[in-house]
Amino acid sequence: MTIQEMAVDDPLDDFTRRDVELESEARAVYVAGSGPAVIVMPEMPGISPHVARFARWIRDAGFTVYLPSLFGRDGAVAGAREGAEVFQRACISREFRVLAGQGASPVTRWLRALARLAHAECAGPGVGAVGMCFTGNFALSMMLEPSVVAPVLCQPSLPLNSQASLESDAGELQTVRERLEREDRIVLAYRFEGDRFCTSARFEAYARALGDRFVAREIPDGAANGDVPPFFARYVDCPHSVVTVHLIDEVGQPTTAARDEILRFLTATLVQPGMSPQAR
């Protein structure tokens, strides 16, 4: 998609919209592609054209992408006011816990159920999970579900009130670390060096909790795209969204290298040796 195309609402008409009921709650999920499943969780303020572009890159790399609607208008380029309203509603929703000491957001239970469903539908070694911004840590919480084997955290921004804290509580972190070590897995994580919403202190906290299973990538601020939508221009006054809004889709760019590393990680973890292109 061109910059001009991403400046208008995305109809998402190359995805199949499904109403998926799990844990006694129905949510819209946009599905596309074939092959092992990867769940892509949107950043604030929702499934924007930039988020959909990233999901398409995963689809085109040989995966079935599941894009759940968690907040906002699906496919929308949210204006500054609309985006702020989406953010405010999420902050008071019972589905999300945005402050330190509250533990993982309840919506992660629904997302783990989605991972089980996606694995049953797509088979393969397991499911990938990519969270970003508001949903960044969700990919880690989803590791409580055995089918999730390839977690990616892009600029995890919760809790909002303590950059040295993590959304997952100590018990969850210990359980995830033990699983990572037992199964010889890693967590990939990305942030811009000057990100005020996901600072180096948060990555240091992850490293203390997960040890060398936490593989961090920090990208120079100068590598961020400066042409951003209205919500970001008004409220996100620093480089932040590594694989969406602030990505520069050009060969040799650090953000493009981050995207490609994620695709390689998903392929290495989810595609079995000898798997045919049809099975992928």
Side-chain angles (χ1 to χ4, degrees):
M1 298 178 69
T2 66
I3 292 176
Q4 291 75 20
E5 288 172 326
M6 287 187 292
V8 298
D9 290 358
D10 187 330
L12 304 174
D13 51 10
D14 53 337
F15 293 83
T16 298
R17 185 188 188 278
R18 295 168 53 182
D19 292 316
V20 178
E21 183 170 351
L22 300 164
E23 302 287 317
S24 301
E25 184 171 4
R27 292 182 181 273
V29 180
Y30 296 85
V31 183
S34 61
V38 178
I39 297 172
V40 175
M41 292 159 279
E43 65 188 355
M44 190 60 61
I47 302 176
S48 68
H50 287 87
V51 170
R53 178 181 66 168
F54 178 67
R56 292 182 178 105
W57 281 326
I58 292 178
R59 173 200 65 190
D60 294 346
F63 299 98
T64 305
V65 64
Y66 289 72
L67 184 57
S69 177
L70 302 180
F71 35 71
R73 272 192 308 124
D74 301 339
V77 179
R81 180 176 179 178
E82 179 185 4
E85 291 172 349
V86 171
F87 174 77
Q88 290 165 359
R89 286 196 298 271
C91 285
I92 62 174
S93 168
R94 64 180 178 84
E95 295 292 339
F96 304 99
R97 293 175 176 165
V98 302
L99 302 180
Q102 295 182 316
S105 293
V107 72
T108 57
R109 291 195 294 270
W110 190 93
L111 291 166
R112 289 195 291 271
L114 178 62
R116 290 192 292 274
L117 173 67
H119 191 216
E121 292 179 343
C122 300
V127 176
V130 183
M132 55 187 78
C133 179
F134 210 79
T135 66
N137 189 73
F138 293 4
L140 189 69
S141 294
M142 290 173 70
M143 286 290 290
L144 298 178
E145 161 56 40
S147 66
V148 178
V149 296
V152 180
L153 282 58
C154 294
Q155 68 276 351
S157 300
L158 298 184
L160 297 175
N161 63 332
S162 175
Q163 280 297 320
S165 299
L166 302 179
E167 186 187 29
S168 298
D169 62 28
E172 180 175 297
L173 290 166
Q174 181 63 30
T175 298
V176 171
R177 179 169 182 164
E178 289 173 356
R179 184 185 171 199
L180 293 169
E181 293 175 346
R182 182 174 63 251
E183 299 179 10
D184 192 22
R185 301 193 185 282
I186 63 170
V187 177
L188 274 184
Y190 299 84
R191 64 175 292 272
F192 282 103
E193 291 175 345
D195 191 344
R196 295 190 302 103
F197 304 98
C198 176
T199 68
S200 60
R202 175 153 296 149
F203 269 30
E204 289 164 4
Y206 275 116
R208 288 192 297 271
L210 301 177
D212 60 7
R213 298 293 165 174
F214 180 71
V215 179
R217 305 286 190 245
E218 296 185 292
I219 297 171
D221 293 350
N225 178 25
D227 187 1
V228 299
F231 173 77
F232 283 80
R234 175 66 178 83
Y235 292 107
V236 186
D237 59 350
C238 61
H240 179 62
S241 298
V242 174
V243 295
T244 57
V245 168
H246 291 111
L247 180 142
I248 299 175
D249 188 17
E250 296 175 2
V251 174
Q253 289 290 335
T255 49
T256 299
R259 176 202 65 193
D260 292 347
E261 182 180 44
I262 292 169
L263 297 179
R264 289 194 301 270
F265 171 61
L266 295 172
T267 298
T269 309
L270 301 177
V271 178
Q272 294 173 318
M275 185 179 288
S276 68
Q278 291 77 22
R280 289 178 58 188

PDB file of all heavy atoms in Angstrom, residues 101-129:
ATOM      1  N   GLY A 101       0.601  -3.280  38.771  1.00  0.00           N
ATOM      2  CA  GLY A 101       0.088  -4.041  39.886  1.00  0.00           C
ATOM      3  C   GLY A 101      -1.259  -4.676  39.655  1.00  0.00           C
ATOM      4  O   GLY A 101      -1.775  -5.371  40.536  1.00  0.00           O
ATOM      5  N   GLN A 102      -1.853  -4.463  38.485  1.00  0.00           N
ATOM      6  CA  GLN A 102      -3.181  -5.017  38.220  1.00  0.00           C
ATOM      7  C   GLN A 102      -3.128  -6.383  37.548  1.00  0.00           C
ATOM      8  O   GLN A 102      -4.136  -7.064  37.437  1.00  0.00           O
ATOM      9  CB  GLN A 102      -3.987  -4.048  37.337  1.00  0.00           C
ATOM     10  CG  GLN A 102      -4.293  -2.722  38.003  1.00  0.00           C
ATOM     11  CD  GLN A 102      -5.135  -1.828  37.109  1.00  0.00           C
ATOM     12  OE1 GLN A 102      -4.885  -1.693  35.918  1.00  0.00           O
ATOM     13  NE2 GLN A 102      -6.148  -1.208  37.694  1.00  0.00           N
ATOM     14  N   GLY A 103      -1.954  -6.790  37.061  1.00  0.00           N
ATOM     15  CA  GLY A 103      -1.838  -8.073  36.383  1.00  0.00           C
ATOM     16  C   GLY A 103      -2.229  -8.000  34.924  1.00  0.00           C
ATOM     17  O   GLY A 103      -2.585  -6.944  34.400  1.00  0.00           O
ATOM     18  N   ALA A 104      -2.171  -9.150  34.261  1.00  0.00           N
ATOM     19  CA  ALA A 104      -2.456  -9.209  32.828  1.00  0.00           C
ATOM     20  C   ALA A 104      -3.910  -8.856  32.533  1.00  0.00           C
ATOM     21  O   ALA A 104      -4.818  -9.132  33.336  1.00  0.00           O
ATOM     22  CB  ALA A 104      -2.146 -10.600  32.287  1.00  0.00           C
ATOM     23  N   SER A 105      -4.150  -8.257  31.392  1.00  0.00           N
ATOM     24  CA  SER A 105      -5.496  -7.856  31.001  1.00  0.00           C
ATOM     25  C   SER A 105      -6.391  -9.074  30.792  1.00  0.00           C
ATOM     26  O   SER A 105      -5.976 -10.062  30.178  1.00  0.00           O
ATOM     27  CB  SER A 105      -5.448  -7.030  29.713  1.00  0.00           C
ATOM     28  OG  SER A 105      -4.803  -5.793  29.940  1.00  0.00           O
ATOM     29  N   PRO A 106      -7.642  -9.038  31.289  1.00  0.00           N
ATOM     30  CA  PRO A 106      -8.555 -10.179  31.125  1.00  0.00           C
ATOM     31  C   PRO A 106      -8.771 -10.607  29.684  1.00  0.00           C
ATOM     32  O   PRO A 106      -9.030 -11.786  29.425  1.00  0.00           O
ATOM     33  CB  PRO A 106      -9.853  -9.658  31.758  1.00  0.00           C
ATOM     34  CG  PRO A 106      -9.402  -8.684  32.790  1.00  0.00           C
ATOM     35  CD  PRO A 106      -8.210  -7.998  32.167  1.00  0.00           C
ATOM     36  N   VAL A 107      -8.662  -9.686  28.724  1.00  0.00           N
ATOM     37  CA  VAL A 107      -8.887 -10.041  27.324  1.00  0.00           C
ATOM     38  C   VAL A 107      -7.894 -11.093  26.848  1.00  0.00           C
ATOM     39  O   VAL A 107      -8.144 -11.785  25.853  1.00  0.00           O
ATOM     40  CB  VAL A 107      -8.824  -8.780  26.436  1.00  0.00           C
ATOM     41  CG1 VAL A 107      -7.395  -8.275  26.299  1.00  0.00           C
ATOM     42  CG2 VAL A 107      -9.422  -9.050  25.055  1.00  0.00           C
ATOM     43  N   THR A 108      -6.762 -11.265  27.544  1.00  0.00           N
ATOM     44  CA  THR A 108      -5.792 -12.270  27.121  1.00  0.00           C
ATOM     45  C   THR A 108      -6.350 -13.681  27.253  1.00  0.00           C
ATOM     46  O   THR A 108      -5.897 -14.594  26.552  1.00  0.00           O
ATOM     47  CB  THR A 108      -4.471 -12.142  27.897  1.00  0.00           C
ATOM     48  OG1 THR A 108      -4.724 -12.242  29.309  1.00  0.00           O
ATOM     49  CG2 THR A 108      -3.805 -10.804  27.603  1.00  0.00           C
ATOM     50  N   ARG A 109      -7.335 -13.889  28.123  1.00  0.00           N
ATOM     51  CA  ARG A 109      -7.966 -15.215  28.194  1.00  0.00           C
ATOM     52  C   ARG A 109      -8.687 -15.522  26.884  1.00  0.00           C
ATOM     53  O   ARG A 109      -8.619 -16.652  26.383  1.00  0.00           O
ATOM     54  CB  ARG A 109      -8.943 -15.276  29.377  1.00  0.00           C
ATOM     55  CG  ARG A 109      -8.265 -15.245  30.738  1.00  0.00           C
ATOM     56  CD  ARG A 109      -9.239 -15.665  31.834  1.00  0.00           C
ATOM     57  NE  ARG A 109     -10.332 -14.702  31.980  1.00  0.00           N
ATOM     58  CZ  ARG A 109     -10.302 -13.661  32.799  1.00  0.00           C
ATOM     59  NH1 ARG A 109      -9.233 -13.416  33.537  1.00  0.00           N
ATOM     60  NH2 ARG A 109     -11.332 -12.841  32.881  1.00  0.00           N
ATOM     61  N   TRP A 110      -9.398 -14.528  26.368  1.00  0.00           N
ATOM     62  CA  TRP A 110     -10.083 -14.701  25.086  1.00  0.00           C
ATOM     63  C   TRP A 110      -9.069 -14.934  23.963  1.00  0.00           C
ATOM     64  O   TRP A 110      -9.289 -15.788  23.092  1.00  0.00           O
ATOM     65  CB  TRP A 110     -10.928 -13.459  24.781  1.00  0.00           C
ATOM     66  CG  TRP A 110     -11.845 -13.634  23.609  1.00  0.00           C
ATOM     67  CD1 TRP A 110     -13.152 -14.046  23.649  1.00  0.00           C
ATOM     68  CD2 TRP A 110     -11.546 -13.401  22.229  1.00  0.00           C
ATOM     69  NE1 TRP A 110     -13.677 -14.085  22.374  1.00  0.00           N
ATOM     70  CE2 TRP A 110     -12.708 -13.698  21.479  1.00  0.00           C
ATOM     71  CE3 TRP A 110     -10.411 -12.980  21.556  1.00  0.00           C
ATOM     72  CZ2 TRP A 110     -12.765 -13.581  20.091  1.00  0.00           C
ATOM     73  CZ3 TRP A 110     -10.448 -12.864  20.169  1.00  0.00           C
ATOM     74  CH2 TRP A 110     -11.614 -13.155  19.440  1.00  0.00           C
ATOM     75  N   LEU A 111      -7.967 -14.227  24.000  1.00  0.00           N
ATOM     76  CA  LEU A 111      -6.945 -14.377  22.966  1.00  0.00           C
ATOM     77  C   LEU A 111      -6.278 -15.750  23.031  1.00  0.00           C
ATOM     78  O   LEU A 111      -5.926 -16.325  21.991  1.00  0.00           O
ATOM     79  CB  LEU A 111      -5.909 -13.258  23.098  1.00  0.00           C
ATOM     80  CG  LEU A 111      -6.427 -11.868  22.750  1.00  0.00           C
ATOM     81  CD1 LEU A 111      -5.455 -10.789  23.245  1.00  0.00           C
ATOM     82  CD2 LEU A 111      -6.641 -11.733  21.241  1.00  0.00           C
ATOM     83  N   ARG A 112      -6.107 -16.288  24.224  1.00  0.00           N
ATOM     84  CA  ARG A 112      -5.573 -17.650  24.319  1.00  0.00           C
ATOM     85  C   ARG A 112      -6.556 -18.659  23.720  1.00  0.00           C
ATOM     86  O   ARG A 112      -6.152 -19.632  23.062  1.00  0.00           O
ATOM     87  CB  ARG A 112      -5.250 -17.992  25.780  1.00  0.00           C
ATOM     88  CG  ARG A 112      -4.040 -17.241  26.319  1.00  0.00           C
ATOM     89  CD  ARG A 112      -3.524 -17.841  27.607  1.00  0.00           C
ATOM     90  NE  ARG A 112      -4.415 -17.650  28.730  1.00  0.00           N
ATOM     91  CZ  ARG A 112      -4.381 -16.598  29.546  1.00  0.00           C
ATOM     92  NH1 ARG A 112      -3.501 -15.627  29.339  1.00  0.00           N
ATOM     93  NH2 ARG A 112      -5.211 -16.507  30.566  1.00  0.00           N
ATOM     94  N   ALA A 113      -7.839 -18.439  23.932  1.00  0.00           N
ATOM     95  CA  ALA A 113      -8.846 -19.310  23.320  1.00  0.00           C
ATOM     96  C   ALA A 113      -8.811 -19.174  21.796  1.00  0.00           C
ATOM     97  O   ALA A 113      -8.981 -20.171  21.074  1.00  0.00           O
ATOM     98  CB  ALA A 113     -10.236 -18.968  23.860  1.00  0.00           C
ATOM     99  N   LEU A 114      -8.599 -17.959  21.304  1.00  0.00           N
ATOM    100  CA  LEU A 114      -8.466 -17.770  19.857  1.00  0.00           C
ATOM    101  C   LEU A 114      -7.263 -18.533  19.324  1.00  0.00           C
ATOM    102  O   LEU A 114      -7.318 -19.123  18.242  1.00  0.00           O
ATOM    103  CB  LEU A 114      -8.344 -16.282  19.537  1.00  0.00           C
ATOM    104  CG  LEU A 114      -8.148 -15.933  18.053  1.00  0.00           C
ATOM    105  CD1 LEU A 114      -9.350 -16.383  17.225  1.00  0.00           C
ATOM    106  CD2 LEU A 114      -7.904 -14.431  17.872  1.00  0.00           C
ATOM    107  N   ALA A 115      -6.173 -18.548  20.076  1.00  0.00           N
ATOM    108  CA  ALA A 115      -4.989 -19.299  19.660  1.00  0.00           C
ATOM    109  C   ALA A 115      -5.291 -20.791  19.566  1.00  0.00           C
ATOM    110  O   ALA A 115      -4.863 -21.467  18.610  1.00  0.00           O
ATOM    111  CB  ALA A 115      -3.837 -19.049  20.630  1.00  0.00           C
ATOM    112  N   ARG A 116      -6.039 -21.327  20.521  1.00  0.00           N
ATOM    113  CA  ARG A 116      -6.416 -22.736  20.460  1.00  0.00           C
ATOM    114  C   ARG A 116      -7.246 -23.023  19.226  1.00  0.00           C
ATOM    115  O   ARG A 116      -7.042 -24.032  18.525  1.00  0.00           O
ATOM    116  CB  ARG A 116      -7.179 -23.145  21.728  1.00  0.00           C
ATOM    117  CG  ARG A 116      -6.322 -23.206  22.975  1.00  0.00           C
ATOM    118  CD  ARG A 116      -7.051 -23.895  24.115  1.00  0.00           C
ATOM    119  NE  ARG A 116      -8.193 -23.115  24.600  1.00  0.00           N
ATOM    120  CZ  ARG A 116      -8.117 -22.164  25.519  1.00  0.00           C
ATOM    121  NH1 ARG A 116      -6.945 -21.824  26.047  1.00  0.00           N
ATOM    122  NH2 ARG A 116      -9.204 -21.529  25.927  1.00  0.00           N
ATOM    123  N   LEU A 117      -8.202 -22.135  18.941  1.00  0.00           N
ATOM    124  CA  LEU A 117      -9.047 -22.300  17.758  1.00  0.00           C
ATOM    125  C   LEU A 117      -8.206 -22.230  16.480  1.00  0.00           C
ATOM    126  O   LEU A 117      -8.348 -23.063  15.572  1.00  0.00           O
ATOM    127  CB  LEU A 117     -10.121 -21.217  17.741  1.00  0.00           C
ATOM    128  CG  LEU A 117     -10.991 -21.160  16.480  1.00  0.00           C
ATOM    129  CD1 LEU A 117     -11.858 -22.407  16.372  1.00  0.00           C
ATOM    130  CD2 LEU A 117     -11.860 -19.896  16.479  1.00  0.00           C
ATOM    131  N   ALA A 118      -7.326 -21.231  16.403  1.00  0.00           N
ATOM    132  CA  ALA A 118      -6.500 -21.052  15.210  1.00  0.00           C
ATOM    133  C   ALA A 118      -5.593 -22.257  14.986  1.00  0.00           C
ATOM    134  O   ALA A 118      -5.398 -22.698  13.843  1.00  0.00           O
ATOM    135  CB  ALA A 118      -5.676 -19.773  15.341  1.00  0.00           C
ATOM    136  N   HIS A 119      -5.037 -22.797  16.064  1.00  0.00           N
ATOM    137  CA  HIS A 119      -4.176 -23.972  15.921  1.00  0.00           C
ATOM    138  C   HIS A 119      -4.970 -25.169  15.427  1.00  0.00           C
ATOM    139  O   HIS A 119      -4.512 -25.927  14.560  1.00  0.00           O
ATOM    140  CB  HIS A 119      -3.502 -24.285  17.250  1.00  0.00           C
ATOM    141  CG  HIS A 119      -2.415 -25.296  17.137  1.00  0.00           C
ATOM    142  ND1 HIS A 119      -2.169 -26.243  18.110  1.00  0.00           N
ATOM    143  CD2 HIS A 119      -1.502 -25.535  16.149  1.00  0.00           C
ATOM    144  CE1 HIS A 119      -1.150 -27.000  17.737  1.00  0.00           C
ATOM    145  NE2 HIS A 119      -0.729 -26.594  16.552  1.00  0.00           N
ATOM    146  N   ALA A 120      -6.177 -25.345  15.942  1.00  0.00           N
ATOM    147  CA  ALA A 120      -7.024 -26.450  15.490  1.00  0.00           C
ATOM    148  C   ALA A 120      -7.378 -26.299  14.016  1.00  0.00           C
ATOM    149  O   ALA A 120      -7.453 -27.296  13.278  1.00  0.00           O
ATOM    150  CB  ALA A 120      -8.293 -26.516  16.337  1.00  0.00           C
ATOM    151  N   GLU A 121      -7.570 -25.076  13.561  1.00  0.00           N
ATOM    152  CA  GLU A 121      -7.951 -24.838  12.166  1.00  0.00           C
ATOM    153  C   GLU A 121      -6.772 -24.940  11.206  1.00  0.00           C
ATOM    154  O   GLU A 121      -6.938 -25.355  10.055  1.00  0.00           O
ATOM    155  CB  GLU A 121      -8.605 -23.455  12.041  1.00  0.00           C
ATOM    156  CG  GLU A 121      -9.955 -23.357  12.727  1.00  0.00           C
ATOM    157  CD  GLU A 121     -10.592 -21.986  12.615  1.00  0.00           C
ATOM    158  OE1 GLU A 121      -9.879 -21.007  12.292  1.00  0.00           O
ATOM    159  OE2 GLU A 121     -11.813 -21.892  12.843  1.00  0.00           O
ATOM    160  N   CYS A 122      -5.585 -24.569  11.666  1.00  0.00           N
ATOM    161  CA  CYS A 122      -4.433 -24.462  10.759  1.00  0.00           C
ATOM    162  C   CYS A 122      -3.368 -25.524  10.980  1.00  0.00           C
ATOM    163  O   CYS A 122      -2.477 -25.679  10.149  1.00  0.00           O
ATOM    164  CB  CYS A 122      -3.793 -23.075  10.887  1.00  0.00           C
ATOM    165  SG  CYS A 122      -4.911 -21.717  10.495  1.00  0.00           S
ATOM    166  N   ALA A 123      -3.430 -26.212  12.115  1.00  0.00           N
ATOM    167  CA  ALA A 123      -2.445 -27.249  12.464  1.00  0.00           C
ATOM    168  C   ALA A 123      -1.039 -26.651  12.511  1.00  0.00           C
ATOM    169  O   ALA A 123      -0.860 -25.482  12.837  1.00  0.00           O
ATOM    170  CB  ALA A 123      -2.544 -28.418  11.494  1.00  0.00           C
ATOM    171  N   GLY A 124      -0.022 -27.461  12.200  1.00  0.00           N
ATOM    172  CA  GLY A 124       1.355 -26.995  12.286  1.00  0.00           C
ATOM    173  C   GLY A 124       1.893 -27.097  13.697  1.00  0.00           C
ATOM    174  O   GLY A 124       1.195 -27.519  14.626  1.00  0.00           O
ATOM    175  N   PRO A 125       3.158 -26.689  13.895  1.00  0.00           N
ATOM    176  CA  PRO A 125       3.799 -26.807  15.215  1.00  0.00           C
ATOM    177  C   PRO A 125       3.172 -25.942  16.296  1.00  0.00           C
ATOM    178  O   PRO A 125       3.367 -26.202  17.484  1.00  0.00           O
ATOM    179  CB  PRO A 125       5.245 -26.363  14.946  1.00  0.00           C
ATOM    180  CG  PRO A 125       5.417 -26.454  13.466  1.00  0.00           C
ATOM    181  CD  PRO A 125       4.078 -26.191  12.875  1.00  0.00           C
ATOM    182  N   GLY A 126       2.472 -24.883  15.910  1.00  0.00           N
ATOM    183  CA  GLY A 126       1.891 -23.987  16.895  1.00  0.00           C
ATOM    184  C   GLY A 126       1.452 -22.692  16.253  1.00  0.00           C
ATOM    185  O   GLY A 126       1.305 -22.593  15.027  1.00  0.00           O
ATOM    186  N   VAL A 127       1.272 -21.678  17.100  1.00  0.00           N
ATOM    187  CA  VAL A 127       0.718 -20.391  16.682  1.00  0.00           C
ATOM    188  C   VAL A 127       1.696 -19.281  17.028  1.00  0.00           C
ATOM    189  O   VAL A 127       2.331 -19.308  18.086  1.00  0.00           O
ATOM    190  CB  VAL A 127      -0.639 -20.148  17.391  1.00  0.00           C
ATOM    191  CG1 VAL A 127      -1.200 -18.772  17.058  1.00  0.00           C
ATOM    192  CG2 VAL A 127      -1.630 -21.235  17.015  1.00  0.00           C
ATOM    193  N   GLY A 128       1.806 -18.290  16.142  1.00  0.00           N
ATOM    194  CA  GLY A 128       2.553 -17.084  16.438  1.00  0.00           C
ATOM    195  C   GLY A 128       1.629 -16.026  17.004  1.00  0.00           C
ATOM    196  O   GLY A 128       0.426 -16.026  16.735  1.00  0.00           O
ATOM    197  N   ALA A 129       2.182 -15.123  17.816  1.00  0.00           N
ATOM    198  CA  ALA A 129       1.390 -14.036  18.399  1.00  0.00           C
ATOM    199  C   ALA A 129       2.222 -12.764  18.387  1.00  0.00           C
ATOM    200  O   ALA A 129       3.326 -12.743  18.930  1.00  0.00           O
ATOM    201  CB  ALA A 129       0.963 -14.378  19.820  1.00  0.00           C
TER     202      ALA A 129
END
